[in-house]
Coordinates of all heavy atoms in Angstrom, one line a residue:
R79 N -115.1 17.3 90.2 CA -115.3 18.2 89.0 C -114.3 18.0 87.9 O -114.5 18.2 86.7 CB -115.5 19.6 89.4 CG -116.8 19.9 90.1 CD -116.9 21.3 90.6 NE -116.1 21.5 91.8 CZ -115.7 22.6 92.3 NH1 -115.9 23.7 91.7 NH2 -115.0 22.6 93.5
R80 N -113.1 17.7 88.4 CA -112.0 17.4 87.4 C -111.8 15.9 87.3 O -110.7 15.4 87.3 CB -110.7 18.0 87.9 CG -110.8 19.5 88.0 CD -109.5 20.1 88.6 NE -108.4 20.0 87.7 CZ -107.1 20.3 88.0 NH1 -106.9 20.7 89.1 NH2 -106.2 20.1 87.1
F81 N -112.9 15.2 87.2 CA -113.1 13.7 87.3 C -111.9 12.9 86.6 O -111.2 12.2 87.3 CB -114.4 13.3 86.7 CG -114.7 11.8 86.7 CD1 -115.0 11.2 87.9 CD2 -114.5 11.1 85.6 CE1 -115.3 9.9 87.9 CE2 -114.8 9.7 85.6 CZ -115.1 9.1 86.8
A82 N -111.7 13.0 85.3 CA -110.7 12.2 84.7 C -109.7 13.1 84.0 O -109.1 12.8 83.0 CB -111.4 11.3 83.6
D83 N -109.3 14.2 84.7 CA -108.3 15.2 84.2 C -107.0 14.8 84.8 O -106.7 15.0 85.9 CB -108.7 16.6 84.6 CG -107.8 17.6 84.1 OD1 -106.9 17.3 83.3 OD2 -107.9 18.8 84.5
F84 N -106.2 14.2 83.9 CA -104.8 13.8 84.3 C -103.8 14.8 83.9 O -102.6 14.5 84.1 CB -104.5 12.4 83.7 CG -105.3 11.3 84.3 CD1 -106.5 10.9 83.7 CD2 -104.9 10.6 85.4 CE1 -107.3 9.9 84.3 CE2 -105.7 9.5 85.9 CZ -106.9 9.2 85.4
Q85 N -104.2 15.9 83.4 CA -103.3 17.0 83.0 C -103.2 18.1 84.1 O -104.2 18.2 84.8 CB -103.8 17.6 81.7 CG -104.0 16.6 80.6 CD -102.7 15.9 80.1 OE1 -101.6 16.6 80.0 NE2 -102.7 14.6 80.0
G86 N -102.2 18.8 84.1 CA -102.1 19.9 85.0 C -101.6 19.5 86.4 O -101.0 18.4 86.6
R87 N -101.8 20.4 87.4 CA -101.3 20.2 88.7 C -102.4 20.3 89.7 O -103.4 20.9 89.5 CB -100.2 21.3 88.9 CG -99.1 21.2 88.0 CD -98.2 22.4 88.0 NE -97.5 22.6 89.3 CZ -96.6 23.6 89.5 NH1 -96.3 24.4 88.5 NH2 -96.1 23.7 90.7
A88 N -102.2 19.7 90.9 CA -103.1 19.8 92.0 C -102.4 20.2 93.3 O -101.3 19.7 93.5 CB -103.8 18.4 92.2
T89 N -103.1 21.0 94.1 CA -102.5 21.4 95.3 C -102.6 20.4 96.4 O -103.4 19.4 96.3 CB -103.1 22.7 95.8 OG1 -104.5 22.4 96.1 CG2 -103.1 23.8 94.8
R90 N -101.8 20.5 97.5 CA -101.9 19.6 98.6 C -103.3 19.7 99.2 O -103.9 18.7 99.6 CB -100.9 19.9 99.7 CG -99.5 19.5 99.3 CD -98.6 19.7 100.4 NE -98.2 21.1 100.6 CZ -97.3 21.5 101.4 NH1 -96.6 20.7 102.2 NH2 -97.0 22.8 101.5
K91 N -103.9 20.9 99.3 CA -105.2 21.0 99.9 C -106.3 20.3 99.0 O -107.1 19.6 99.6 CB -105.6 22.5 100.0 CG -106.9 22.7 100.7 CD -107.1 24.2 101.0 CE -108.3 24.4 101.9 NZ -108.4 25.7 102.4
E92 N -106.2 20.4 97.7 CA -107.1 19.7 96.9 C -107.1 18.2 97.1 O -108.1 17.5 97.3 CB -106.8 19.9 95.4 CG -107.7 19.2 94.4 CD -107.3 19.5 93.0 OE1 -106.5 20.4 92.7 OE2 -107.8 18.7 92.1

Side-chain angles (χ1 to χ4, degrees):
R79 288 179 277 162
R80 296 177 70 187
F81 179 75
D83 182 10
F84 292 88
Q85 305 296 318
R87 298 166 66 176
T89 63
R90 285 188 283 188
K91 187 170 188 171
E92 177 182 347

